[in-house]
Amino acid sequence: MNTIGIIAEFNPFHNGHLHLIQKCKELLNADRCIVVMSGDFTQRGAPSIVDKFTRTKMALSCGADVVLELPIYYALGSAEYFAKGAVSILNSLGCVDYLCFGSECADVSHLTDIAKILNSEPDLYRAILEKEQKNGSSFAAARQKALFSYLDEEKISYQDTVLSSPNNILGIEYIRALLDINSSIKPFTIKREGEEYHSQELSPLSSASAIRTKLLESEGASSISFSVPSPCLCLLKDYQGSFAKSNDLSAALLYKLIMEQRNGYTKFMDVSEDLSNKISCALKDYKDFESFCDRLKTKDLAHSRISRVLCHILLDITASNMDEYKKDGYTGYARILGMNKASSELVKIMRKSSTIPVIGNLKEANTAFEKDLPKRLFDETLTASMLCFSLFKNTILNEYRLPLIIQ
């Protein structure tokens, strides 16, 4: 039997996620599923709609065997950092056979060919990339142009949406990360089913975006009953906190922006000199988080990129710290958020084969870390969650007092 790994946000868990776990287990003859899941902030630069422990319970009730937390620097990173941080954790466990994901392309060999080109950067590809950037194209647009030109030259067929479809992009980054570290984990993809990534249509296979929108409306969880598995619906209906919105961060962000204005914002991850100056100049017009993102976004800087930057500033996520984590092989640890009762043997295997600390009860953290960097990353991740717990009326105040979720 095989062990599959899945990298996810489950924001919140829905029928598409259930299909991914069940289908991959079936096709790969797998009896174990390890999930690396974002904590209380997500890759689009926003707080998760419900806390990480509730989403862990959702995943465990729908086929996941163990849920690990993706540290904050990677959860709030670009697609590249998100992928490299999560893949590093799965690879370090030493017991994962396949990395599974849904994609619009659904052809792992095609995605792998592209990943290899992006990693090796052949001369022709590099020349076109640099030319397009000099002509004013954003990196994403220049990369797509360079890739397609190279594929044409090499007579390699491709789908012209491959780099404009969100799950394809993440899939390529997962494969690039696996190739970078010469991992023995094999990538595996299935066709992403249901509504498009940004669709607001509700259906049995709705996008997470549509579900979040409905949850934030007055009817709440009752409106999404056919879009999420029944155990997840019950957890959403009984949720004790408030469903999180980016604008709930507005006051905390304004305070942080004012406090850092004198020195500028370039020390924070992904903040250029130009963007730092733009933030400082726009601060006088600040109203709330979302409108400030709209005020700062440009053709080359998408709303999600600006959202991530503002979260980096709010949470003290610095470029220098990220550089240290990168140099240390994406410094990590495996923090278990929850596990199924039948998965105790899998956890024993993880602890024995892992090359990074595997932490269950948080009291283990006092003695688990042999190096300072992973402990610092661990502490920063706890701090980010503490902010969410306090802002979104969650009853969790101290994670050290929480028992490991076992269900």
Side-chain angles (χ1 to χ4, degrees), residues 274-339:
D274 286 346
L275 181 54
S276 175
N277 292 337
K278 191 171 183 180
I279 291 171
S280 185
C281 290
L283 193 52
K284 64 183 184 302
D285 300 319
Y286 185 96
K287 293 183 176 64
D288 55 43
F289 189 105
E290 288 290 346
S291 65
F292 201 57
C293 288
D294 290 335
R295 173 78 169 75
L296 296 171
K297 72 178 182 180
T298 66
K299 182 180 71 173
D300 296 331
L301 290 175
H303 188 285
S304 59
R305 167 76 184 280
I306 297 297
S307 293
R308 282 198 299 273
V309 162
L310 295 180
C311 286
H312 294 163
I313 296 171
L314 174 65
L315 299 173
D316 245 4
I317 294 177
T318 65
S320 60
N321 281 3
M322 187 58 169
D323 285 342
E324 288 186 84
Y325 299 145
K326 285 165 62 179
K327 289 176 183 176
D328 199 46
Y330 287 86
T331 299
Y333 53 87
R335 188 228 170 150
I336 302 173
L337 292 174
M339 55 182 281

Side-chain angles (χ1 to χ4, degrees), residues 23-41:
K23 195 68 174 177
C24 290
K25 277 189 169 183
E26 173 193 336
L27 293 174
L28 294 172
N29 192 31
D31 62 343
R32 303 181 298 202
C33 174
I34 299 173
V35 172
V36 177
M37 186 188 77
S38 298
D40 291 297
F41 282 87

Side-chain angles (χ1 to χ4, degrees), residues 261-279:
Q261 187 179 22
R262 181 186 299 274
N263 297 319
Y265 309 101
T266 54
K267 73 175 183 179
F268 300 106
M269 189 169 144
D270 292 336
V271 184
S272 65
E273 187 77 39
D274 286 346
L275 181 54
S276 175
N277 292 337
K278 191 171 183 180
I279 291 171

Side-chain angles (χ1 to χ4, degrees), residues 5-272:
I6 289 175
I7 300 166
E9 293 182 329
F10 296 154
N11 188 34
F13 195 102
H14 56 64
N15 290 337
H17 299 133
L18 178 64
H19 172 73
L20 174 66
I21 293 175
Q22 291 180 337
K23 195 68 174 177
C24 290
K25 277 189 169 183
E26 173 193 336
L27 293 174
L28 294 172
N29 192 31
D31 62 343
R32 303 181 298 202
C33 174
I34 299 173
V35 172
V36 177
M37 186 188 77
S38 298
D40 291 297
F41 282 87
T42 63
Q43 204 256 335
R44 67 191 179 91
S48 56
I49 195 161
V50 294
D51 69 73
K52 60 191 176 188
F53 299 108
T54 300
R55 287 161 32 244
T56 294
K57 293 175 183 177
M58 292 178 179
L60 293 174
S61 68
C62 294
D65 296 286
V66 176
V67 178
L68 308 175
E69 181 176 13
L70 181 63
I72 188 65
Y73 269 68
Y74 313 137
L76 260 176
S78 64
E80 177 186 359
Y81 292 154
F82 181 89
K84 285 185 174 178
V87 167
S88 174
I89 293 171
L90 287 175
N91 186 68
S92 297
L93 294 178
C95 61
V96 178
D97 299 294
Y98 291 91
L99 170 54
C100 300
F101 55 93
S103 65
E104 294 84 359
C105 172
D107 184 338
V108 76
S109 62
H110 185 66
L111 297 177
T112 300
D113 287 342
I114 292 173
K116 288 178 178 177
I117 294 168
L118 295 178
N119 274 9
S120 63
E121 294 194 336
D123 291 342
L124 174 62
Y125 165 85
R126 189 71 205 173
I128 298 171
L129 177 68
E130 292 175 357
K131 177 183 175 183
E132 292 296 322
Q133 286 185 288
K134 285 179 182 178
N135 289 338
S137 294
S138 67
F139 175 77
R143 185 175 75 163
Q144 182 161 307
K145 174 73 172 176
L147 176 65
F148 288 167
S149 296
Y150 180 82
L151 291 171
D152 278 339
E153 184 72 20
E154 296 296 316
K155 305 296 189 294
I156 301 173
S157 61
Y158 61 87
Q159 297 175 344
D160 59 8
T161 59
V162 72
L163 282 183
S164 59
S165 301
N167 293 284
N168 285 346
I169 293 171
L170 266 181
I172 290 168
E173 292 298 339
Y174 294 153
I175 296 170
R176 290 183 68 189
L178 290 171
L179 293 171
D180 270 346
I181 56 178
N182 195 27
S183 175
S184 63
I185 298 174
K186 304 176 188 67
F188 182 81
T189 189
I190 63 171
K191 180 74 173 177
R192 184 186 181 280
E193 304 288 351
E195 304 295 335
E196 293 184 2
Y197 186 81
H198 295 294
S199 169
Q200 293 299 303
E201 294 295 322
L202 278 184
S203 73
L205 288 171
S206 297
S207 69
S209 176
I211 294 171
R212 289 193 299 272
T213 298
K214 285 297 180 182
L215 284 174
L216 293 171
E217 292 178 352
S218 57
E219 60 262 40
S222 61
S223 64
I224 60 163
S225 58
F226 55 87
S227 298
V228 299
S230 57
C232 303
L233 183 65
C234 291
L235 286 165
L236 290 170
K237 285 183 174 180
D238 295 340
Y239 190 58
Q240 296 301 302
S242 58
F243 296 134
K245 306 184 295 294
S246 291
N247 273 349
D248 294 329
L249 303 174
S250 297
L253 175 63
L254 177 59
Y255 172 80
K256 182 67 172 175
L257 291 173
I258 291 172
M259 293 300 291
E260 299 288 345
Q261 187 179 22
R262 181 186 299 274
N263 297 319
Y265 309 101
T266 54
K267 73 175 183 179
F268 300 106
M269 189 169 144
D270 292 336
V271 184
S272 65

